[in-house]
Amino acid sequence: MSFKKLHPLLKESLENAGFETSNAFQKKVLPTLKGGSDAYVIAPKGSGKTTALIIAIIHKLKATAFEDSPRVIITVKDKEDAIALKEEFERFTMNTDLRVYALYDEYDIDKQKTEVYYGQDIVIATPARLSKLYFLNGIHLGEVQLFALEDADYLGLHNGYNHILRLSESLTKCQFVIIADEMNSRIKNYQNAFMSNSHLIKQK
C-alpha cells in the first residue's frame, strides 16, 4: 500500500524520515494491522515488520494524544530494547503530541507509577515490570486498543510468557499483535488464550 491513505501527520513524518512507500512485506502486513485484526507477523530481521507496527499504531491513534490512560502497550525483552524502540517511535511522532514511555525494571517503580499516571499514549515495557506495575494499580489497561509483543522470541526468559498470559486476561476489545523472527511453540500456544482468531502473516 502507498502511504497516501495514512494520517497526514504520519505521512509527513515518513517523508521526513526518507520513506516513500512500503516494502513488499509491509504491503502484506499494514492492511491487517490497520484493519484491527489480531496477527502473528513472522519475518526475519530487516524485513520492516517493526516499522509496519509503528506506522499502524500511529495511524490507529490518529497521531493525537488523548486523555491519560495508555491506548497501546508493547512488550519487549529488556531495558535496551525498550529504549531503542521508544527512540524509533520518536522518529515518527516528533511532529505529533503523542506520548511514548519506556517502562523497564532498572528504574524506581514509584517514579514510573507517577510518570505513567500523568498520561501516556504508548507504553513500551518489559513484561515483568508491566505486570508488577499493573498489580500495584500503577497502570490502567482499560483503554488499551492494541497490545503487541515485539521480537517475541524472548518469551522464555524471566517468566515472560506467563506475565503476558495474565495481563491478556485484563484486556477486552483489544487488538493483539505478535512480532517474531520465526514461529515457535511458546508464542503459538497463545492461540489457546487470546490469539484464536489471529491471522498469520509470514514472509515466504
Side-chain angles (χ1 to χ4, degrees), residues 15 36 75 139 150 162 175:
E15 290 171 351
T75 64
I139 187 168
E150 163 66 8
N162 291 321
Q175 179 183 12

Side-chain angles (χ1 to χ4, degrees), residues 45-96:
K45 285 180 171 43
S47 60
K49 56 189 186 291
T50 298
T51 301
L53 178 66
I54 291 171
I55 290 169
I57 286 171
I58 296 172
H59 182 78
K60 188 180 188 79
L61 300 185
K62 300 179 181 178
T64 305
F66 182 74
E67 296 187 351
D68 299 325
S69 298
R71 292 174 288 156
V72 170
I73 301 285
I74 307 169
T75 64
V76 295
K77 178 181 176 181
D78 53 27
K79 173 184 176 180
E80 289 72 22
D81 285 359
I83 292 171
L85 186 56
K86 178 178 183 288
E87 291 173 350
E88 188 66 12
F89 260 98
E90 288 171 345
R91 292 177 63 200
F92 303 103
T93 59
M94 61 174 53
N95 63 336
T96 77

Side-chain angles (χ1 to χ4, degrees), residues 3 7-19 92 95:
F3 291 145
H7 189 282
L9 288 177
L10 173 56
K11 183 184 172 188
E12 180 184 329
S13 293
L14 288 164
E15 290 171 351
N16 290 340
F19 289 84
F92 303 103
N95 63 336

Side-chain angles (χ1 to χ4, degrees), residues 95-183:
N95 63 336
T96 77
D97 60 356
L98 284 171
R99 300 154 297 179
V100 185
Y101 186 78
L103 179 67
Y104 46 82
D105 303 86
E106 299 89 347
Y107 191 68
D108 186 288
I109 195 165
D110 290 323
K111 290 181 180 178
Q112 289 174 331
K113 190 173 181 179
T114 299
E115 289 164 2
V116 170
Y117 174 80
Y118 282 119
Q120 305 295 338
D121 299 293
I122 301 163
V123 172
I124 302 163
T126 56
R129 181 48 59 103
L130 176 63
S131 182
K132 185 172 183 179
L133 196 66
Y134 175 69
F135 288 107
L136 288 172
N137 294 317
I139 187 168
H140 176 59
L141 302 183
E143 303 301 321
V144 173
Q145 300 173 21
L146 186 149
F147 189 97
L149 284 62
E150 163 66 8
D151 198 13
D153 309 83
Y154 68 84
L155 283 172
L157 301 173
H158 310 304
N159 205 29
Y161 175 86
N162 291 321
H163 286 310
I164 298 296
L165 199 58
R166 285 194 295 269
L167 288 163
S168 72
E169 294 170 354
S170 305
L171 300 167
T172 57
K173 297 181 180 179
C174 177
Q175 179 183 12
F176 290 96
V177 179
I178 296 180
I179 291 181
D181 293 349
E182 57 185 34
M183 181 68 86

